[in-house]
Amino acid sequence: MSILCQDRSSRWQDIQNGLQFIQSTLPYPGTQERYEVFIQDLVKNLFGEGNDVFNEGEWMRSIEMYTEALSIAEYADSEDISVPTGTLEKLYANRAAAYLNVGLHDEALVDCEKALQLNEGNHRALYRKARALKEMGRHKEAYETVAKCSLAVPQDPNVIGLTQDLAKMLGLKIRKAYVRSKVRVYCLTDHDKPMGMALGMPDVTPLPAVVDLAKNPLADTHEFKQACSNCYVKTVLDFTLYTEEHKCKKDILLGRIKNQPDKSWKLIRPRPTKSQYVGPYYICKDVAIGEGCRYPGHCTFAYCQEEIDVWSLERKGFICRDFLFDPFGPTSKINLTVPKILQEHHGIFMFLCGVCFDHKPRIISKANKDNPSLCSHPVTKHAFEDQKCLVHILRENTVRYSKIRPYSPQNQMDICRHEVRYGCVREDECFYAHSLIELKVWMMQHQLGITPENIVHEANRFWNMEAGTQGSLQFTTPLKRFGPPNLKMQFVCGQCWRNGQVSEADKNKKYCTAKARHSWSKDKRVVLVSSIERKKWTTIRPLPTKKPIPSQFEICMHVSIGKKCQYIGNCTFAHSTEERDLWTYMKENNIPDMEQLYEHWLQSQKPGWSEEASNSSIKENGKQIHMPTDYAEEMTGNHCWLCGKNCNSDRQWQQHITSEKHREKVFNSEDDQNCWQYRFPTGTFRVCERYLKGTCTEEELCKLAHGNEELREWTERREFLLMKLAKARKDHLIAPNDNDFGKYSFLLKDIK
């Protein structure tokens, strides 16, 4: 036993040394032949370590080892070093087994296909492919696959058991379909019979694996109608729909829930997109008590349940407003154009280097300014024209890049359900759209046959026309009122304000406009607000960092009676009504600090603020500070698609992916707010016996599940989080040796 432990310890040391050398820039000290042996041994060691940890039940760890080995093999291929095909075949097949054990069936299917491309007779890959297809609901394909496997290993009990299970499932499915539809079921003829399948096995079409976006998912429970301001007008207490004939613009959406006593139509406004809020939507408090909303036009709360239902599905990408009026969407033609898409989604279309964009982690690089035929990557200059990809770029609080893959007749006009939840690992091989804007571009290309080059040209022309009409040079939304409606806001130099002067930033956002030219940095500027009632400029302190943030802010009791605050330290109560209103606005719009408030205000004042101004705003004392800012440039550097941030150096990238905020992004999602009903899993997946007997006194602090329903949800939640973690590791958004995830560390344990 000690010899085995010693061998593993020595092998692990060799792996560490090998990976350290691969990541360095040093040349190999030996000959080319010795270098080839070194690479091949490193792959074999990773393969062996993966097998050992797999047998110990550490499946995620084994996936890491197999993935690292395959990455080294890909690197070796670029260096003209051959790794034995048999080793690659086993790596894919074994990683598929690990994927199956953690519930990543799509990933397992992809690896099985790659193993079978190397050796179509690999019975282990065939068996695991059949298991993956079975779990995905594709029972007929699974039966055909396991039938091929049974020819290679006819006596294997696992293959026999899987074959029998699939045969029963297919038979049961046919009987149910026959009873429901009473339609004659035809059997396969001799020439249609797949390899190893018994004659007479019915041909069953598998259920679709995704939600069809072209069909209205709310058609069974909701009714929708198009209207305009002339046919949907406000009366004394409510809105009324008039059906008299007129030239209706059909520019607003109405909806109502079926089989409800209230038959009135409700207005469904466009979903608020300025806020980064990801929790469930709620009804506005003013509307809930029967009063008018105090913030009309700015309120991010819903006014009715119909609005909540539509907004929730829109945010997840499960629904498109254009299809809400016709449950059979494909029969209606939706006229999509580039200006129409940009008016709804904003942003811009442009080309980026596809090789850099698909790199793990993602790298953002445009065409080289000196040589447009190459990309702007500082080291590897890819041929830009041959490798470019169409990307939609949206700048809000963060920079979002949505790749628009080439359209082909095989593409499915649906949103990929995996991409919406935890990220699709099939990436470019997936036939389903990975974003709503990609889906709409595909639909437009299907209807108009427009090329990616023409899309970019039309987008530039559209924003140039907008700039001409609005006097702006940037692709931004029109100028809108920012902040609480009863307040005016401005940012001034703090040093000048203390001396009784009011001075704003100069044109380059580098110094204030006073003669002293104080530095215009985040710690030297203050925000002033003035209410309509008092018309007096008041300084606003930063938002309190107290956790948890109160549901509503109150006025300090000392200030309320006209005295100075006596609290020693940072008082968490507002010192004026203006401060309370602005804090409330920041809380409701997820603006955590004054720096982000300044960025939002700056955009509202001048939507076309230039890149030079944004660059100079992060200069202090004349020295450029490079950091992954919220308004990062499209420059060469690692890009985190989860957080929407660019990092301009490896050090910044390591700091970002190991930060607590980023880790929370890896695991947190909208489903945490909308899908889960019980407590967060504790890592002890067992029902509390005392709870069943009614004697558990720990309540929320109990480490065990309170009932079978909670235990079932814990299991589902763990599988979902494991999928998110696997996607993050694949995209290199988690450091390779980082296994400390705080409350999420239980995912890496072998839970029985």
Side-chain angles (χ1 to χ4, degrees):
M1 188 68 180
S2 61
I3 296 177
L4 292 176
C5 294
Q6 184 177 3
D7 290 342
R8 284 195 64 180
S9 176
S10 176
R11 180 177 62 192
W12 180 246
Q13 186 61 42
D14 292 341
I15 290 174
Q16 293 290 83
N17 294 336
L19 293 178
Q20 185 177 4
F21 173 77
I22 290 294
Q23 295 170 359
S24 69
T25 58
L26 298 175
Y28 188 75
T31 62
Q32 179 66 18
E33 290 75 14
R34 292 183 59 186
Y35 183 50
E36 292 182 6
V37 173
F38 163 75
I39 293 293
Q40 293 170 353
D41 288 344
L42 179 57
V43 173
K44 291 178 182 177
N45 286 336
L46 287 166
F47 177 56
E49 184 67 20
N51 291 342
D52 287 342
V53 295
F54 179 91
N55 294 330
E56 294 170 358
E58 298 183 18
W59 298 310
M60 291 303 301
R61 182 67 175 162
S62 66
I63 291 174
E64 293 178 19
M65 295 295 103
Y66 296 142
T67 303
E68 194 67 52
L70 289 168
S71 299
I72 298 298
E74 183 178 355
Y75 165 78
D77 185 62
S78 66
E79 295 287 326
D80 295 329
I81 299 175
S82 61
V83 175
T85 304
T87 303
L88 295 177
E89 170 194 344
K90 293 175 183 178
L91 280 169
Y92 283 120
N94 288 12
R95 191 172 68 171
Y99 277 141
L100 287 172
N101 284 336
V102 297
L104 300 178
H105 307 119
D106 285 352
E107 293 82 346
L109 180 60
V110 172
D111 276 359
C112 289
E113 294 287 3
K114 291 180 179 178
L116 291 173
Q117 289 177 3
L118 298 172
N119 179 12
E120 61 181 9
N122 189 322
H123 61 272
R124 289 186 175 86
L126 285 169
Y127 172 72
R128 291 159 188 166
K129 177 183 176 181
R131 281 184 56 194
L133 290 169
K134 175 191 172 185
E135 296 297 333
M136 295 167 65
R138 298 158 63 176
H139 296 142
K140 178 176 175 289
E141 297 177 59
Y143 189 91
E144 295 175 356
T145 303
V146 79
K148 296 178 183 179
C149 183
S150 65
L151 296 178
V153 283
Q155 303 301 324
D156 192 303
N158 293 327
V159 176
I160 294 174
L162 181 60
T163 305
Q164 293 174 349
D165 291 343
L166 287 168
K168 292 177 182 178
M169 289 180 181
L170 287 172
L172 180 62
K173 190 182 294 186
I174 285 300
R175 286 195 295 272
K176 287 182 178 180
Y178 181 81
V179 171
R180 284 197 308 267
S181 60
K182 296 183 181 180
V183 177
R184 181 183 177 186
V185 179
Y186 292 93
C187 298
L188 292 173
T189 59
D190 287 337
H191 63 273
D192 292 327
K193 181 177 65 174
M195 184 183 301
M197 179 179 284
L199 182 63
M201 178 59 63
D203 186 8
V204 181
T205 302
L207 296 175
V210 295
V211 177
D212 188 357
L213 189 71
K215 297 179 181 178
N216 179 6
L218 296 174
D220 295 334
T221 56
H222 294 65
E223 293 181 88
F224 296 100
K225 185 184 293 291
Q226 286 177 309
C228 66
S229 57
N230 293 327
C231 56
Y232 189 68
V233 297
K234 186 175 183 178
T235 57
V236 178
L237 298 176
D238 204 347
F239 288 85
T240 304
L241 175 64
Y242 292 98
T243 57
E244 288 84 359
E245 292 187 4
H246 64 282
K247 191 174 181 180
C248 184
K249 296 180 181 179
K250 295 184 178 181
D251 55 355
I252 61 176
L253 172 64
L254 307 179
R256 65 183 179 186
I257 301 177
K258 296 181 179 178
N259 303 322
Q260 293 289 330
D262 185 7
K263 299 296 183 182
S264 62
W265 292 93
K266 307 294 193 305
L267 174 65
I268 300 176
R269 300 167 296 154
R271 181 175 66 88
T273 56
K274 291 296 181 183
S275 172
Q276 298 298 312
Y277 177 68
V278 296
Y281 292 110
Y282 295 103
I283 299 291
C284 175
K285 291 187 294 185
D286 298 332
V287 176
I289 60 177
E291 298 180 357
C293 178
R294 288 179 292 176
Y295 305 103
H298 302 280
C299 186
T300 57
F301 290 89
Y303 289 168
C304 58
Q305 183 60 42
E306 290 84 352
E307 223 168 35
I308 292 179
D309 297 336
V310 173
W311 285 2
S312 299
L313 290 178
E314 275 187 309
R315 181 168 58 183
K316 292 184 177 182
F318 287 157
I319 201 170
C320 179
R321 285 189 170 227
D322 295 331
F323 294 120
L324 286 177
F325 319 106
D326 184 6
F328 306 98
T331 61
S332 61
K333 184 176 180 180
I334 306 299
N335 296 318
L336 289 172
T337 61
V338 174
K340 185 175 181 180
I341 293 175
L342 292 179
Q343 284 174 350
E344 181 176 355
H345 296 274
H346 307 295
I348 190 68
F349 289 105
M350 68 181 303
F351 289 113
L352 296 178
C353 176
V355 178
C356 294
F357 197 87
D358 294 335
H359 185 269
K360 309 297 182 187
R362 179 176 295 172
I363 298 176
I364 305 301
S365 59
K366 300 186 292 187
N368 195 310
K369 293 182 179 180
D370 299 328
N371 187 358
S373 63
L374 302 176
C375 77
S376 58
H377 193 281
V379 179
T380 308
K381 304 292 186 183
H382 304 111
F384 189 81
E385 286 299 323
D386 297 335
Q387 307 290 346
K388 68 181 180 181
C389 65
L390 180 64
V391 177
H392 176 262
I393 304 175
L394 177 63
R395 285 189 180 189
E396 291 180 332
N397 284 348
T398 56
V399 186
R400 298 292 178 185
Y401 301 90
S402 300
K403 182 179 179 181
I404 312 298
R405 293 167 292 165
Y407 170 75
S408 68
Q410 289 78 22
N411 290 351
Q412 302 297 312
M413 297 302 176
D414 299 319
I415 297 288
C416 175
R417 61 186 176 93
H418 301 300
E419 180 68 20
V420 171
R421 293 204 70 197
Y422 47 79
C424 179
V425 298
R426 298 188 65 186
E427 299 180 349
D428 288 355
E429 297 179 2
C430 182
F431 292 119
Y432 296 90
H434 284 177
S435 64
L436 187 57
I437 193 164
E438 184 178 53
L439 175 62
K440 290 189 175 183
V441 171
W442 283 359
M443 293 169 58
M444 178 179 65
Q445 289 181 298
H446 174 71
Q447 295 171 4
L448 306 178
I450 186 171
T451 63
E453 287 76 11
N454 288 335
I455 292 176
V456 174
H457 176 72
E458 290 291 329
N460 292 333
R461 188 172 68 171
F462 169 76
W463 287 118
N464 287 335
M465 293 176 61
E466 289 290 309
T469 57
Q470 299 179 10
S472 172
L473 298 178
Q474 280 284 74
F475 53 90
T476 54
T477 57
L479 181 62
K480 293 184 179 180
R481 179 78 166 77
F482 176 73
N486 63 322
L487 297 180
K488 294 182 180 179
M489 185 187 313
Q490 66 173 334
F491 283 81
V492 300
C493 174
Q495 292 178 261
C496 294
W497 175 252
R498 285 193 293 269
N499 296 327
Q501 297 178 338
V502 177
S503 59
E504 299 180 341
D506 61 6
K507 182 179 179 181
N508 294 323
K509 304 294 186 296
K510 187 175 181 180
Y511 303 104
C512 74
T513 53
K515 290 183 178 180
R517 289 178 58 83
H518 300 120
S519 176
W520 187 260
S521 57
K522 62 181 180 181
D523 58 333
K524 295 182 180 180
R525 57 175 175 252
V526 296
V527 58
L528 304 180
V529 297
S530 172
S531 62
I532 300 175
E533 297 81 7
R534 295 206 303 168
K535 297 182 179 179
K536 176 184 176 182
W537 290 107
T538 305
T539 307
I540 304 300
R541 297 172 298 149
L543 193 69
T545 56
K546 180 182 177 181
K547 300 293 184 179
I549 297 178
S551 57
Q552 61 182 14
F553 296 103
E554 303 292 345
I555 301 293
C556 175
M557 64 178 182
H558 301 292
V559 177
S560 62
I561 60 177
K563 295 183 179 181
K564 187 177 181 180
C565 179
Q566 303 298 318
Y567 182 75
I568 300 175
N570 295 323
C571 181
T572 58
F573 292 92
H575 286 179
S576 63
T577 55
E578 291 86 355
E579 191 168 66
R580 181 193 61 188
D581 293 344
L582 185 59
W583 282 0
T584 302
Y585 178 83
M586 293 173 66
K587 173 180 174 291
E588 291 176 349
N589 291 273
N590 287 344
I591 303 176
D593 51 40
M594 290 302 178
E595 182 65 15
Q596 287 198 23
L597 181 72
Y598 173 68
E599 298 290 354
H600 285 283
W601 175 83
L602 194 63
Q603 278 196 317
S604 69
Q605 295 299 304
K606 187 180 179 183
W609 68 298
S610 63
E611 294 182 357
E612 291 77 14
S614 67
N615 284 340
S616 59
S617 65
I618 60 172
K619 290 182 180 179
E620 295 184 6
N621 299 325
K623 182 179 180 181
Q624 180 74 31
I625 300 177
H626 293 285
M627 57 184 296
T629 59
D630 288 336
Y631 292 92
E633 294 294 312
E634 297 100 342
M635 61 190 301
T636 300
N638 293 340
H639 174 76
C640 176
W641 58 266
L642 272 174
C643 305
K645 291 187 177 181
N646 286 348
C647 294
N648 305 327
S649 68
D650 291 337
R651 181 181 178 184
Q652 289 180 357
W653 177 253
Q654 293 302 321
Q655 290 176 347
H656 174 68
I657 64 176
T658 55
S659 64
E660 291 298 327
K661 187 176 181 180
H662 170 77
R663 289 180 178 179
E664 191 67 21
K665 278 274 191 179
V666 170
F667 296 105
N668 193 19
S669 69
E670 183 184 336
D671 296 270
D672 290 339
Q673 303 289 337
N674 296 337
C675 295
W676 313 119
Q677 304 297 324
Y678 298 97
R679 299 175 297 158
F680 187 82
T682 63
T684 307
F685 282 48
R686 190 170 68 253
V687 177
C688 177
E689 296 181 359
R690 292 187 298 169
Y691 175 80
L692 297 178
K693 297 176 182 178
T695 60
C696 182
T697 59
E698 298 184 27
E699 297 181 351
E700 296 295 322
L701 299 178
C702 183
K703 299 296 184 182
L704 303 176
H706 283 180
N708 291 323
E709 291 295 327
E710 187 171 59
L711 179 61
R712 186 178 301 110
E713 182 182 284
W714 282 7
T715 304
E716 294 174 358
R717 195 164 184 171
R718 181 173 186 259
E719 293 176 355
F720 170 74
L721 291 173
L722 281 171
M723 293 173 185
K724 296 204 73 175
L725 177 60
K727 174 62 175 175
R729 287 199 184 280
K730 181 178 181 182
D731 290 350
H732 291 235
L733 300 182
I734 294 291
N737 299 324
D738 190 358
N739 293 322
D740 182 14
F741 304 126
K743 68 176 183 178
Y744 299 99
S745 295
F746 75 93
L747 298 173
L748 305 179
K749 298 178 182 178
D750 189 11
I751 299 175
K752 299 296 183 183

